[in-house]
Amino acid sequence: MDMAPSAHPATTTALPTVNRRRVATAAALASAVEWYDYFVFGIAAALVLGDLYFPAGSPTAGVLAAFATFAVGFLARPIGGIVAGQLGDKRGRKPMLVLALTLMGIATTGIGLLPTYETIGVAAPILLVLFRVLQGIAVGAQWGGAMLMATEYAPEGKRGIYGSFVQLGVPIGVVTANTVFLLAGAFTTDSEFAAWAWRVPFLVGLLVLVLAWYIHTRVEETPEFREAEKRLAEEEKAEQSSPLRTILRDHLGTVLLAGGSFAVNTATFYIIITGVLDYTTRELGMKKSAVLTVSLCVSLTQLVLIPAAAALSDKVGRIRVYALGAAGIALWAVPLFLLIDTGSLLWLAVGSFVASCFLSIMYGPQAALFAELFTPEMRYTGASLGYQIAAVLGGGLAPFVMVLLLEATGTSMAVSAYIIGLAVIALLSIKVLADKARSR
């Protein structure tokens, strides 16, 4: 099923293949380095930030404070999506992507250089929260720009696979972040890691500034935006409507449905890579390096699964593939934590791998699906808002909610119930989106 009842036909057929490859590569790299910078905070929050920036009487309180700071970044993501969406729909995809990369590089480097609570007192957690807010704004602005750079350059019938190049940034970011943390831990003692080695992964974020410069100088604006820009230029200035105003007035339901359909994916993802890291090391006594290695290996499998799911969606329809992934997450939520609770590294890997398969099935076609819900004139704003709403409701709060549920109930089945609830919302949202598409 094609979920593009209102989208303009692709106009990129005549573009040289080299241009498409350059743009797709640049978009994928932009997504990868941006998500790397974003994920290193989540790993650090689970491992060291609680003790260094939020000293408290109980380890749980420190972890909760660190995860709350982690969640703040998600609350800031809609701000980045709104601002970049407005400007990206009027001024172009590329400038917003470059701005997002620059902001992320500055924020991540700032965290790597930030003194701890012991050194500068209460200013340390305040500045940490501010840098995390900047990270959230940056990643909120980035996704729409990178996704549209890829999908709006895609040849006819291949929007799904081109959009998946940007989605690959997530597993690449996870793999890279975990690898850098593993190396930092392998070559230092526990005391050295806590003292300075944890900062190294953040300082690597400086490389994002190099990529921002490359995209600024070597990548052209998308053809679909250039055509939309011409149409807007032909209208009377007084009659032009703000993309955000148009979305809120005419397409708010679609935005909310998009967010509701994706919250389970982002929540489950962050539970696995961040919440489970804390749970297995703090509650189950598993080794940090072993759990990080599992997360790294599972993420590597997504490099194959995400584009495969996207390519399948180009042939059988976005909704069918997307709904299959959501249903799989619901069915696997209980077995996932039954396996994790064994304390066995093997069963942790099995549980995480199967969950990752269902996440990949959803994530592969998601970029193209969200792009096709809106016309080019409002696509950056609409797609970004839908994605970032899901990020706030799902990903940002998920590790925090997981810790609260475990403390309140004493059982991981409460976390499974949380995932199942979000999956039901996703399936209902997907059904309504499919019905709306059929009615058009």
Side-chain angles (χ1 to χ4, degrees), residues 319-330:
I319 284 292
R320 291 178 182 176
V321 179
Y322 197 62
L324 175 62
I329 293 171

Side-chain angles (χ1 to χ4, degrees), residues 231-241:
R231 288 193 297 271
L232 290 173
E234 293 170 358
E235 299 176 6
E236 289 294 329
K237 187 175 182 180
E239 296 178 356
Q240 289 183 15
S241 178

Side-chain angles (χ1 to χ4, degrees), residues 303-315:
L303 298 177
V304 176
L305 294 171
I306 286 175
L312 181 63
S313 79
D314 281 332
K315 297 182 180 299

